[in-house]
PDB file of all heavy atoms in Angstrom:
ATOM      1  N   TYR Y 267      18.397  -2.149 -16.039  1.00 87.00           N
ATOM      2  CA  TYR Y 267      19.571  -2.904 -15.594  1.00 87.00           C
ATOM      3  C   TYR Y 267      19.236  -3.936 -14.510  1.00 87.00           C
ATOM      4  O   TYR Y 267      20.125  -4.494 -13.886  1.00 87.00           O
ATOM      5  CB  TYR Y 267      20.650  -1.946 -15.091  1.00 87.00           C
ATOM      6  CG  TYR Y 267      21.125  -0.996 -16.163  1.00 87.00           C
ATOM      7  CD1 TYR Y 267      20.580   0.278 -16.263  1.00 87.00           C
ATOM      8  CD2 TYR Y 267      22.081  -1.391 -17.091  1.00 87.00           C
ATOM      9  CE1 TYR Y 267      20.993   1.156 -17.259  1.00 87.00           C
ATOM     10  CE2 TYR Y 267      22.508  -0.528 -18.095  1.00 87.00           C
ATOM     11  CZ  TYR Y 267      21.952   0.747 -18.170  1.00 87.00           C
ATOM     12  OH  TYR Y 267      22.364   1.612 -19.162  1.00 87.00           O
ATOM     13  N   ARG Y 268      17.937  -4.146 -14.289  1.00 88.00           N
ATOM     14  CA  ARG Y 268      17.469  -5.141 -13.322  1.00 88.00           C
ATOM     15  C   ARG Y 268      18.052  -4.933 -11.941  1.00 88.00           C
ATOM     16  O   ARG Y 268      18.406  -5.890 -11.236  1.00 88.00           O
ATOM     17  CB  ARG Y 268      17.775  -6.555 -13.818  1.00 88.00           C
ATOM     18  CG  ARG Y 268      17.028  -6.912 -15.084  1.00 88.00           C
ATOM     19  CD  ARG Y 268      17.357  -8.299 -15.567  1.00 88.00           C
ATOM     20  NE  ARG Y 268      16.727  -8.560 -16.849  1.00 88.00           N
ATOM     21  CZ  ARG Y 268      17.036  -9.584 -17.645  1.00 88.00           C
ATOM     22  NH1 ARG Y 268      17.980 -10.430 -17.270  1.00 88.00           N
ATOM     23  NH2 ARG Y 268      16.418  -9.759 -18.778  1.00 88.00           N
ATOM     24  N   ASP Y 269      18.191  -3.663 -11.583  1.00 91.00           N
ATOM     25  CA  ASP Y 269      18.551  -3.355 -10.206  1.00 91.00           C
ATOM     26  C   ASP Y 269      17.349  -3.683  -9.321  1.00 91.00           C
ATOM     27  O   ASP Y 269      16.228  -3.845  -9.814  1.00 91.00           O
ATOM     28  CB  ASP Y 269      18.909  -1.868 -10.074  1.00 91.00           C
ATOM     29  CG  ASP Y 269      19.925  -1.625  -8.963  1.00 91.00           C
ATOM     30  OD1 ASP Y 269      19.997  -2.481  -8.062  1.00 91.00           O
ATOM     31  OD2 ASP Y 269      20.608  -0.599  -9.006  1.00 91.00           O
ATOM     32  N   VAL Y 270      17.571  -3.805  -8.046  1.00 94.00           N
ATOM     33  CA  VAL Y 270      16.485  -4.207  -7.152  1.00 94.00           C
ATOM     34  C   VAL Y 270      16.325  -3.196  -6.017  1.00 94.00           C
ATOM     35  O   VAL Y 270      17.264  -2.469  -5.676  1.00 94.00           O
ATOM     36  CB  VAL Y 270      16.729  -5.614  -6.554  1.00 94.00           C
ATOM     37  CG1 VAL Y 270      16.759  -6.658  -7.650  1.00 94.00           C
ATOM     38  CG2 VAL Y 270      18.017  -5.653  -5.741  1.00 94.00           C
ATOM     39  N   VAL Y 271      15.144  -3.161  -5.447  1.00 96.00           N
ATOM     40  CA  VAL Y 271      14.862  -2.327  -4.291  1.00 96.00           C
ATOM     41  C   VAL Y 271      14.089  -3.143  -3.268  1.00 96.00           C
ATOM     42  O   VAL Y 271      13.420  -4.119  -3.609  1.00 96.00           O
ATOM     43  CB  VAL Y 271      14.045  -1.067  -4.653  1.00 96.00           C
ATOM     44  CG1 VAL Y 271      14.862  -0.096  -5.455  1.00 96.00           C
ATOM     45  CG2 VAL Y 271      12.756  -1.447  -5.373  1.00 96.00           C
ATOM     46  N   ILE Y 272      14.204  -2.732  -2.018  1.00 97.00           N
ATOM     47  CA  ILE Y 272      13.409  -3.336  -0.945  1.00 97.00           C
ATOM     48  C   ILE Y 272      12.649  -2.192  -0.276  1.00 97.00           C
ATOM     49  O   ILE Y 272      13.194  -1.491   0.577  1.00 97.00           O
ATOM     50  CB  ILE Y 272      14.293  -4.070   0.084  1.00 97.00           C
ATOM     51  CG1 ILE Y 272      15.185  -5.086  -0.617  1.00 97.00           C
ATOM     52  CG2 ILE Y 272      13.420  -4.747   1.140  1.00 97.00           C
ATOM     53  CD1 ILE Y 272      16.174  -5.765   0.319  1.00 97.00           C
ATOM     54  N   PRO Y 273      11.405  -1.968  -0.666  1.00 98.00           N
ATOM     55  CA  PRO Y 273      10.643  -0.839  -0.130  1.00 98.00           C
ATOM     56  C   PRO Y 273      10.455  -0.927   1.380  1.00 98.00           C
ATOM     57  O   PRO Y 273      10.393  -2.019   1.965  1.00 98.00           O
ATOM     58  CB  PRO Y 273       9.296  -0.940  -0.853  1.00 98.00           C
ATOM     59  CG  PRO Y 273       9.591  -1.709  -2.104  1.00 98.00           C
ATOM     60  CD  PRO Y 273      10.656  -2.690  -1.711  1.00 98.00           C
ATOM     61  N   VAL Y 274      10.373   0.250   1.991  1.00 98.00           N
ATOM     62  CA  VAL Y 274      10.130   0.343   3.425  1.00 98.00           C
ATOM     63  C   VAL Y 274       8.616   0.444   3.638  1.00 98.00           C
ATOM     64  O   VAL Y 274       7.992   1.432   3.250  1.00 98.00           O
ATOM     65  CB  VAL Y 274      10.846   1.562   4.026  1.00 98.00           C
ATOM     66  CG1 VAL Y 274      10.542   1.685   5.518  1.00 98.00           C
ATOM     67  CG2 VAL Y 274      12.356   1.449   3.797  1.00 98.00           C
ATOM     68  N   VAL Y 275       8.054  -0.612   4.230  1.00 98.00           N
ATOM     69  CA  VAL Y 275       6.599  -0.687   4.416  1.00 98.00           C
ATOM     70  C   VAL Y 275       6.300  -1.082   5.862  1.00 98.00           C
ATOM     71  O   VAL Y 275       6.699  -2.160   6.305  1.00 98.00           O
ATOM     72  CB  VAL Y 275       5.952  -1.707   3.451  1.00 98.00           C
ATOM     73  CG1 VAL Y 275       4.430  -1.719   3.637  1.00 98.00           C
ATOM     74  CG2 VAL Y 275       6.314  -1.402   2.004  1.00 98.00           C
ATOM     75  N   GLY Y 276       5.612  -0.211   6.582  1.00 98.00           N
ATOM     76  CA  GLY Y 276       5.237  -0.489   7.967  1.00 98.00           C
ATOM     77  C   GLY Y 276       3.768  -0.853   8.095  1.00 98.00           C
ATOM     78  O   GLY Y 276       2.952  -0.502   7.239  1.00 98.00           O
ATOM     79  N   GLU Y 277       3.436  -1.543   9.175  1.00 98.00           N
ATOM     80  CA  GLU Y 277       2.059  -2.025   9.344  1.00 98.00           C
ATOM     81  C   GLU Y 277       1.568  -1.897  10.770  1.00 98.00           C
ATOM     82  O   GLU Y 277       2.353  -1.900  11.728  1.00 98.00           O
ATOM     83  CB  GLU Y 277       1.953  -3.483   8.914  1.00 98.00           C
ATOM     84  CG  GLU Y 277       2.899  -4.455   9.644  1.00 98.00           C
ATOM     85  CD  GLU Y 277       2.454  -4.851  11.046  1.00 98.00           C
ATOM     86  OE1 GLU Y 277       1.228  -4.859  11.306  1.00 98.00           O
ATOM     87  OE2 GLU Y 277       3.332  -5.133  11.879  1.00 98.00           O
ATOM     88  N   CYS Y 278       0.255  -1.796  10.891  1.00 98.00           N
ATOM     89  CA  CYS Y 278      -0.463  -2.020  12.144  1.00 98.00           C
ATOM     90  C   CYS Y 278      -1.682  -2.881  11.838  1.00 98.00           C
ATOM     91  O   CYS Y 278      -2.164  -2.918  10.708  1.00 98.00           O
ATOM     92  CB  CYS Y 278      -0.895  -0.703  12.787  1.00 98.00           C
ATOM     93  SG  CYS Y 278       0.445   0.258  13.528  1.00 98.00           S
ATOM     94  N   ASP Y 279      -2.194  -3.538  12.844  1.00 97.00           N
ATOM     95  CA  ASP Y 279      -3.290  -4.490  12.679  1.00 97.00           C
ATOM     96  C   ASP Y 279      -4.636  -3.781  12.824  1.00 97.00           C
ATOM     97  O   ASP Y 279      -5.012  -3.359  13.917  1.00 97.00           O
ATOM     98  CB  ASP Y 279      -3.147  -5.599  13.731  1.00 97.00           C
ATOM     99  CG  ASP Y 279      -4.276  -6.609  13.688  1.00 97.00           C
ATOM    100  OD1 ASP Y 279      -5.093  -6.570  12.748  1.00 97.00           O
ATOM    101  OD2 ASP Y 279      -4.355  -7.441  14.619  1.00 97.00           O
ATOM    102  N   ASP Y 280      -5.369  -3.662  11.716  1.00 98.00           N
ATOM    103  CA  ASP Y 280      -6.678  -2.995  11.761  1.00 98.00           C
ATOM    104  C   ASP Y 280      -7.852  -3.973  11.755  1.00 98.00           C
ATOM    105  O   ASP Y 280      -8.988  -3.612  11.444  1.00 98.00           O
ATOM    106  CB  ASP Y 280      -6.820  -2.004  10.603  1.00 98.00           C
ATOM    107  CG  ASP Y 280      -6.741  -2.661   9.219  1.00 98.00           C
ATOM    108  OD1 ASP Y 280      -6.757  -3.903   9.142  1.00 98.00           O
ATOM    109  OD2 ASP Y 280      -6.656  -1.921   8.214  1.00 98.00           O
ATOM    110  N   SER Y 281      -7.589  -5.246  12.130  1.00 97.00           N
ATOM    111  CA  SER Y 281      -8.607  -6.293  11.968  1.00 97.00           C
ATOM    112  C   SER Y 281      -9.778  -6.180  12.939  1.00 97.00           C
ATOM    113  O   SER Y 281     -10.757  -6.910  12.806  1.00 97.00           O
ATOM    114  CB  SER Y 281      -7.964  -7.679  12.106  1.00 97.00           C
ATOM    115  OG  SER Y 281      -7.361  -7.845  13.382  1.00 97.00           O
ATOM    116  N   PHE Y 282      -9.697  -5.262  13.923  1.00 97.00           N
ATOM    117  CA  PHE Y 282     -10.847  -5.069  14.801  1.00 97.00           C
ATOM    118  C   PHE Y 282     -12.011  -4.442  14.028  1.00 97.00           C
ATOM    119  O   PHE Y 282     -13.179  -4.779  14.255  1.00 97.00           O
ATOM    120  CB  PHE Y 282     -10.469  -4.172  15.983  1.00 97.00           C
ATOM    121  CG  PHE Y 282     -11.520  -4.089  17.060  1.00 97.00           C
ATOM    122  CD1 PHE Y 282     -11.697  -5.127  17.961  1.00 97.00           C
ATOM    123  CD2 PHE Y 282     -12.341  -2.971  17.171  1.00 97.00           C
ATOM    124  CE1 PHE Y 282     -12.666  -5.065  18.953  1.00 97.00           C
ATOM    125  CE2 PHE Y 282     -13.311  -2.893  18.155  1.00 97.00           C
ATOM    126  CZ  PHE Y 282     -13.471  -3.939  19.053  1.00 97.00           C
ATOM    127  N   LEU Y 283     -11.699  -3.565  13.088  1.00 98.00           N
ATOM    128  CA  LEU Y 283     -12.728  -2.911  12.281  1.00 98.00           C
ATOM    129  C   LEU Y 283     -12.718  -3.348  10.821  1.00 98.00           C
ATOM    130  O   LEU Y 283     -13.702  -3.153  10.109  1.00 98.00           O
ATOM    131  CB  LEU Y 283     -12.557  -1.388  12.337  1.00 98.00           C
ATOM    132  CG  LEU Y 283     -12.937  -0.689  13.642  1.00 98.00           C
ATOM    133  CD1 LEU Y 283     -12.494   0.768  13.612  1.00 98.00           C
ATOM    134  CD2 LEU Y 283     -14.436  -0.777  13.896  1.00 98.00           C
ATOM    135  N   ASN Y 284     -11.613  -3.924  10.373  1.00 98.00           N
ATOM    136  CA  ASN Y 284     -11.448  -4.277   8.969  1.00 98.00           C
ATOM    137  C   ASN Y 284     -11.326  -5.789   8.796  1.00 98.00           C
ATOM    138  O   ASN Y 284     -10.616  -6.452   9.553  1.00 98.00           O
ATOM    139  CB  ASN Y 284     -10.173  -3.613   8.416  1.00 98.00           C
ATOM    140  CG  ASN Y 284      -9.865  -4.031   6.999  1.00 98.00           C
ATOM    141  OD1 ASN Y 284     -10.719  -3.929   6.117  1.00 98.00           O
ATOM    142  ND2 ASN Y 284      -8.653  -4.507   6.767  1.00 98.00           N
ATOM    143  N   ASN Y 285     -12.030  -6.319   7.801  1.00 98.00           N
ATOM    144  CA  ASN Y 285     -11.917  -7.741   7.492  1.00 98.00           C
ATOM    145  C   ASN Y 285     -10.640  -7.949   6.685  1.00 98.00           C
ATOM    146  O   ASN Y 285     -10.658  -8.011   5.457  1.00 98.00           O
ATOM    147  CB  ASN Y 285     -13.140  -8.207   6.701  1.00 98.00           C
ATOM    148  CG  ASN Y 285     -13.169  -9.717   6.532  1.00 98.00           C
ATOM    149  OD1 ASN Y 285     -12.179 -10.406   6.783  1.00 98.00           O
ATOM    150  ND2 ASN Y 285     -14.297 -10.240   6.110  1.00 98.00           N
ATOM    151  N   SER Y 286      -9.537  -8.068   7.402  1.00 97.00           N
ATOM    152  CA  SER Y 286      -8.218  -8.051   6.756  1.00 97.00           C
ATOM    153  C   SER Y 286      -7.950  -9.276   5.894  1.00 97.00           C
ATOM    154  O   SER Y 286      -7.096  -9.219   4.997  1.00 97.00           O
ATOM    155  CB  SER Y 286      -7.121  -7.907   7.814  1.00 97.00           C
ATOM    156  OG  SER Y 286      -7.182  -8.963   8.752  1.00 97.00           O
ATOM    157  N   VAL Y 287      -8.649 -10.393   6.131  1.00 97.00           N
ATOM    158  CA  VAL Y 287      -8.395 -11.592   5.336  1.00 97.00           C
ATOM    159  C   VAL Y 287      -9.071 -11.532   3.970  1.00 97.00           C
ATOM    160  O   VAL Y 287      -8.971 -12.470   3.181  1.00 97.00           O
ATOM    161  CB  VAL Y 287      -8.824 -12.875   6.083  1.00 97.00           C
ATOM    162  CG1 VAL Y 287      -7.965 -13.087   7.310  1.00 97.00           C
ATOM    163  CG2 VAL Y 287     -10.299 -12.844   6.450  1.00 97.00           C
ATOM    164  N   LYS Y 288      -9.727 -10.423   3.669  1.00 95.00           N
ATOM    165  CA  LYS Y 288     -10.221 -10.217   2.303  1.00 95.00           C
ATOM    166  C   LYS Y 288      -9.121  -9.702   1.380  1.00 95.00           C
ATOM    167  O   LYS Y 288      -9.311  -9.645   0.168  1.00 95.00           O
ATOM    168  CB  LYS Y 288     -11.398  -9.228   2.301  1.00 95.00           C
ATOM    169  CG  LYS Y 288     -12.716  -9.844   2.733  1.00 95.00           C
ATOM    170  CD  LYS Y 288     -13.882  -8.903   2.440  1.00 95.00           C
ATOM    171  CE  LYS Y 288     -15.215  -9.590   2.701  1.00 95.00           C
ATOM    172  NZ  LYS Y 288     -16.363  -8.689   2.409  1.00 95.00           N
ATOM    173  N   PHE Y 289      -7.990  -9.298   1.957  1.00 97.00           N
ATOM    174  CA  PHE Y 289      -6.834  -8.840   1.177  1.00 97.00           C
ATOM    175  C   PHE Y 289      -7.278  -7.867   0.081  1.00 97.00           C
ATOM    176  O   PHE Y 289      -7.030  -8.073  -1.105  1.00 97.00           O
ATOM    177  CB  PHE Y 289      -6.089 -10.031   0.568  1.00 97.00           C
ATOM    178  CG  PHE Y 289      -5.585 -11.000   1.594  1.00 97.00           C
ATOM    179  CD1 PHE Y 289      -6.295 -12.161   1.891  1.00 97.00           C
ATOM    180  CD2 PHE Y 289      -4.418 -10.748   2.284  1.00 97.00           C
ATOM    181  CE1 PHE Y 289      -5.832 -13.054   2.851  1.00 97.00           C
ATOM    182  CE2 PHE Y 289      -3.948 -11.640   3.245  1.00 97.00           C
ATOM    183  CZ  PHE Y 289      -4.658 -12.787   3.534  1.00 97.00           C
ATOM    184  N   HIS Y 290      -7.909  -6.797   0.511  1.00 96.00           N
ATOM    185  CA  HIS Y 290      -8.623  -5.926  -0.412  1.00 96.00           C
ATOM    186  C   HIS Y 290      -7.712  -4.922  -1.126  1.00 96.00           C
ATOM    187  O   HIS Y 290      -8.080  -4.367  -2.155  1.00 96.00           O
ATOM    188  CB  HIS Y 290      -9.710  -5.173   0.360  1.00 96.00           C
ATOM    189  CG  HIS Y 290     -10.909  -4.844  -0.465  1.00 96.00           C
ATOM    190  ND1 HIS Y 290     -11.746  -5.805  -0.982  1.00 96.00           N
ATOM    191  CD2 HIS Y 290     -11.402  -3.658  -0.893  1.00 96.00           C
ATOM    192  CE1 HIS Y 290     -12.710  -5.230  -1.669  1.00 96.00           C
ATOM    193  NE2 HIS Y 290     -12.524  -3.909  -1.638  1.00 96.00           N
ATOM    194  N   ILE Y 291      -6.543  -4.651  -0.586  1.00 98.00           N
ATOM    195  CA  ILE Y 291      -5.675  -3.627  -1.179  1.00 98.00           C
ATOM    196  C   ILE Y 291      -5.030  -4.147  -2.469  1.00 98.00           C
ATOM    197  O   ILE Y 291      -4.527  -5.266  -2.524  1.00 98.00           O
ATOM    198  CB  ILE Y 291      -4.611  -3.178  -0.161  1.00 98.00           C
ATOM    199  CG1 ILE Y 291      -5.278  -2.329   0.928  1.00 98.00           C
ATOM    200  CG2 ILE Y 291      -3.492  -2.383  -0.834  1.00 98.00           C
ATOM    201  CD1 ILE Y 291      -4.363  -1.915   2.040  1.00 98.00           C
ATOM    202  N   THR Y 292      -5.052  -3.308  -3.497  1.00 98.00           N
ATOM    203  CA  THR Y 292      -4.522  -3.661  -4.815  1.00 98.00           C
ATOM    204  C   THR Y 292      -3.324  -2.780  -5.181  1.00 98.00           C
ATOM    205  O   THR Y 292      -3.048  -1.782  -4.515  1.00 98.00           O
ATOM    206  CB  THR Y 292      -5.605  -3.487  -5.892  1.00 98.00           C
ATOM    207  OG1 THR Y 292      -5.910  -2.076  -6.005  1.00 98.00           O
ATOM    208  CG2 THR Y 292      -6.869  -4.255  -5.537  1.00 98.00           C
ATOM    209  N   ASP Y 293      -2.669  -3.141  -6.267  1.00 98.00           N
ATOM    210  CA  ASP Y 293      -1.583  -2.307  -6.789  1.00 98.00           C
ATOM    211  C   ASP Y 293      -2.075  -0.890  -7.042  1.00 98.00           C
ATOM    212  O   ASP Y 293      -1.384   0.089  -6.716  1.00 98.00           O
ATOM    213  CB  ASP Y 293      -1.050  -2.884  -8.098  1.00 98.00           C
ATOM    214  CG  ASP Y 293      -0.226  -4.149  -7.904  1.00 98.00           C
ATOM    215  OD1 ASP Y 293       0.039  -4.519  -6.737  1.00 98.00           O
ATOM    216  OD2 ASP Y 293       0.157  -4.763  -8.915  1.00 98.00           O
ATOM    217  N   GLU Y 294      -3.264  -0.769  -7.625  1.00 98.00           N
ATOM    218  CA  GLU Y 294      -3.797   0.548  -7.973  1.00 98.00           C
ATOM    219  C   GLU Y 294      -4.000   1.423  -6.740  1.00 98.00           C
ATOM    220  O   GLU Y 294      -3.840   2.644  -6.807  1.00 98.00           O
ATOM    221  CB  GLU Y 294      -5.110   0.403  -8.746  1.00 98.00           C
ATOM    222  CG  GLU Y 294      -4.945  -0.163 -10.145  1.00 98.00           C
ATOM    223  CD  GLU Y 294      -3.992   0.666 -11.000  1.00 98.00           C
ATOM    224  OE1 GLU Y 294      -4.061   1.912 -10.943  1.00 98.00           O
ATOM    225  OE2 GLU Y 294      -3.179   0.068 -11.725  1.00 98.00           O
ATOM    226  N   ASP Y 295      -4.357   0.800  -5.627  1.00 98.00           N
ATOM    227  CA  ASP Y 295      -4.518   1.578  -4.392  1.00 98.00           C
ATOM    228  C   ASP Y 295      -3.187   2.188  -3.962  1.00 98.00           C
ATOM    229  O   ASP Y 295      -3.124   3.338  -3.518  1.00 98.00           O
ATOM    230  CB  ASP Y 295      -5.070   0.689  -3.277  1.00 98.00           C
ATOM    231  CG  ASP Y 295      -6.474   0.199  -3.560  1.00 98.00           C
ATOM    232  OD1 ASP Y 295      -7.260   0.959  -4.148  1.00 98.00           O
ATOM    233  OD2 ASP Y 295      -6.789  -0.949  -3.190  1.00 98.00           O
ATOM    234  N   VAL Y 296      -2.127   1.416  -4.092  1.00 98.00           N
ATOM    235  CA  VAL Y 296      -0.792   1.917  -3.744  1.00 98.00           C
ATOM    236  C   VAL Y 296      -0.378   3.017  -4.715  1.00 98.00           C
ATOM    237  O   VAL Y 296       0.119   4.074  -4.306  1.00 98.00           O
ATOM    238  CB  VAL Y 296       0.238   0.775  -3.745  1.00 98.00           C
ATOM    239  CG1 VAL Y 296       1.632   1.303  -3.387  1.00 98.00           C
ATOM    240  CG2 VAL Y 296      -0.177  -0.323  -2.765  1.00 98.00           C
ATOM    241  N   PHE Y 297      -0.615   2.784  -6.008  1.00 98.00           N
ATOM    242  CA  PHE Y 297      -0.275   3.803  -7.005  1.00 98.00           C
ATOM    243  C   PHE Y 297      -1.054   5.097  -6.749  1.00 98.00           C
ATOM    244  O   PHE Y 297      -0.517   6.199  -6.909  1.00 98.00           O
ATOM    245  CB  PHE Y 297      -0.574   3.294  -8.419  1.00 98.00           C
ATOM    246  CG  PHE Y 297       0.184   2.045  -8.803  1.00 98.00           C
ATOM    247  CD1 PHE Y 297      -0.310   1.187  -9.780  1.00 98.00           C
ATOM    248  CD2 PHE Y 297       1.387   1.708  -8.186  1.00 98.00           C
ATOM    249  CE1 PHE Y 297       0.371   0.049 -10.144  1.00 98.00           C
ATOM    250  CE2 PHE Y 297       2.083   0.559  -8.544  1.00 98.00           C
ATOM    251  CZ  PHE Y 297       1.561  -0.271  -9.521  1.00 98.00           C
ATOM    252  N   ASP Y 298      -2.316   4.961  -6.352  1.00 98.00           N
ATOM    253  CA  ASP Y 298      -3.138   6.144  -6.058  1.00 98.00           C
ATOM    254  C   ASP Y 298      -2.581   6.918  -4.863  1.00 98.00           C
ATOM    255  O   ASP Y 298      -2.544   8.154  -4.866  1.00 98.00           O
ATOM    256  CB  ASP Y 298      -4.585   5.741  -5.780  1.00 98.00           C
ATOM    257  CG  ASP Y 298      -5.349   5.363  -7.037  1.00 98.00           C
ATOM    258  OD1 ASP Y 298      -4.857   5.671  -8.143  1.00 98.00           O
ATOM    259  OD2 ASP Y 298      -6.433   4.759  -6.923  1.00 98.00           O
ATOM    260  N   ALA Y 299      -2.173   6.181  -3.820  1.00 99.00           N
ATOM    261  CA  ALA Y 299      -1.603   6.846  -2.641  1.00 99.00           C
ATOM    262  C   ALA Y 299      -0.351   7.623  -3.020  1.00 99.00           C
ATOM    263  O   ALA Y 299      -0.137   8.755  -2.551  1.00 99.00           O
ATOM    264  CB  ALA Y 299      -1.291   5.819  -1.548  1.00 99.00           C
ATOM    265  N   ILE Y 300       0.481   7.035  -3.884  1.00 98.00           N
ATOM    266  CA  ILE Y 300       1.695   7.721  -4.338  1.00 98.00           C
ATOM    267  C   ILE Y 300       1.321   8.949  -5.156  1.00 98.00           C
ATOM    268  O   ILE Y 300       1.871  10.038  -4.979  1.00 98.00           O
ATOM    269  CB  ILE Y 300       2.581   6.772  -5.164  1.00 98.00           C
ATOM    270  CG1 ILE Y 300       3.073   5.599  -4.302  1.00 98.00           C
ATOM    271  CG2 ILE Y 300       3.768   7.516  -5.764  1.00 98.00           C
ATOM    272  CD1 ILE Y 300       3.750   4.491  -5.084  1.00 98.00           C
ATOM    273  N   LYS Y 301       0.351   8.776  -6.063  1.00 98.00           N
ATOM    274  CA  LYS Y 301      -0.092   9.886  -6.911  1.00 98.00           C
ATOM    275  C   LYS Y 301      -0.690  11.018  -6.081  1.00 98.00           C
ATOM    276  O   LYS Y 301      -0.593  12.197  -6.445  1.00 98.00           O
ATOM    277  CB  LYS Y 301      -1.117   9.375  -7.926  1.00 98.00           C
ATOM    278  CG  LYS Y 301      -1.583  10.419  -8.926  1.00 98.00           C
ATOM    279  CD  LYS Y 301      -2.422   9.791 -10.018  1.00 98.00           C
ATOM    280  CE  LYS Y 301      -3.704   9.180  -9.455  1.00 98.00           C
ATOM    281  NZ  LYS Y 301      -4.570   8.653 -10.526  1.00 98.00           N
ATOM    282  N   ASN Y 302      -1.296  10.667  -4.952  1.00 98.00           N
ATOM    283  CA  ASN Y 302      -1.950  11.660  -4.097  1.00 98.00           C
ATOM    284  C   ASN Y 302      -0.988  12.395  -3.169  1.00 98.00           C
ATOM    285  O   ASN Y 302      -1.414  13.282  -2.420  1.00 98.00           O
ATOM    286  CB  ASN Y 302      -3.031  10.989  -3.249  1.00 98.00           C
ATOM    287  CG  ASN Y 302      -4.202  10.499  -4.080  1.00 98.00           C
ATOM    288  OD1 ASN Y 302      -4.440  10.993  -5.178  1.00 98.00           O
ATOM    289  ND2 ASN Y 302      -4.931   9.505  -3.577  1.00 98.00           N
ATOM    290  N   THR Y 303       0.303  12.025  -3.178  1.00 98.00           N
ATOM    291  CA  THR Y 303       1.235  12.678  -2.252  1.00 98.00           C
ATOM    292  C   THR Y 303       1.320  14.170  -2.544  1.00 98.00           C
ATOM    293  O   THR Y 303       1.336  14.599  -3.702  1.00 98.00           O
ATOM    294  CB  THR Y 303       2.638  12.058  -2.331  1.00 98.00           C
ATOM    295  OG1 THR Y 303       3.115  12.102  -3.673  1.00 98.00           O
ATOM    296  CG2 THR Y 303       2.636  10.630  -1.820  1.00 98.00           C
ATOM    297  N   LYS Y 304       1.370  14.946  -1.478  1.00 98.00           N
ATOM    298  CA  LYS Y 304       1.426  16.399  -1.624  1.00 98.00           C
ATOM    299  C   LYS Y 304       2.127  17.002  -0.419  1.00 98.00           C
ATOM    300  O   LYS Y 304       2.272  16.376   0.635  1.00 98.00           O
ATOM    301  CB  LYS Y 304       0.012  16.982  -1.723  1.00 98.00           C
ATOM    302  CG  LYS Y 304      -0.837  16.754  -0.471  1.00 98.00           C
ATOM    303  CD  LYS Y 304      -2.214  17.383  -0.609  1.00 98.00           C
ATOM    304  CE  LYS Y 304      -3.019  17.239   0.698  1.00 98.00           C
ATOM    305  NZ  LYS Y 304      -4.335  17.890   0.591  1.00 98.00           N
ATOM    306  N   SER Y 305       2.565  18.230  -0.571  1.00 98.00           N
ATOM    307  CA  SER Y 305       3.117  18.987   0.534  1.00 98.00           C
ATOM    308  C   SER Y 305       2.002  19.815   1.164  1.00 98.00           C
ATOM    309  O   SER Y 305       0.836  19.701   0.782  1.00 98.00           O
ATOM    310  CB  SER Y 305       4.253  19.893   0.037  1.00 98.00           C
ATOM    311  OG  SER Y 305       3.798  20.713  -1.024  1.00 98.00           O
ATOM    312  N   GLY Y 306       2.353  20.649   2.134  1.00 98.00           N
ATOM    313  CA  GLY Y 306       1.341  21.490   2.766  1.00 98.00           C
ATOM    314  C   GLY Y 306       0.500  20.730   3.773  1.00 98.00           C
ATOM    315  O   GLY Y 306       0.949  19.771   4.411  1.00 98.00           O
ATOM    316  N   ILE Y 307      -0.754  21.135   3.920  1.00 97.00           N
ATOM    317  CA  ILE Y 307      -1.659  20.515   4.887  1.00 97.00           C
ATOM    318  C   ILE Y 307      -2.090  19.141   4.390  1.00 97.00           C
ATOM    319  O   ILE Y 307      -2.460  18.984   3.227  1.00 97.00           O
ATOM    320  CB  ILE Y 307      -2.883  21.410   5.125  1.00 97.00           C
ATOM    321  CG1 ILE Y 307      -2.455  22.734   5.766  1.00 97.00           C
ATOM    322  CG2 ILE Y 307      -3.909  20.715   6.025  1.00 97.00           C
ATOM    323  CD1 ILE Y 307      -3.562  23.759   5.889  1.00 97.00           C
TER     324      ILE Y 307
END
């Protein structure tokens, strides 16, 4: 039905250790993080 969402996404700047202008994060990385969600420890 072409409904829309605005995901809640927070950030911090990791550019002291990470070359952030390489824009390395992909869709698959996000999908993997979601797939890896678990309860417990």
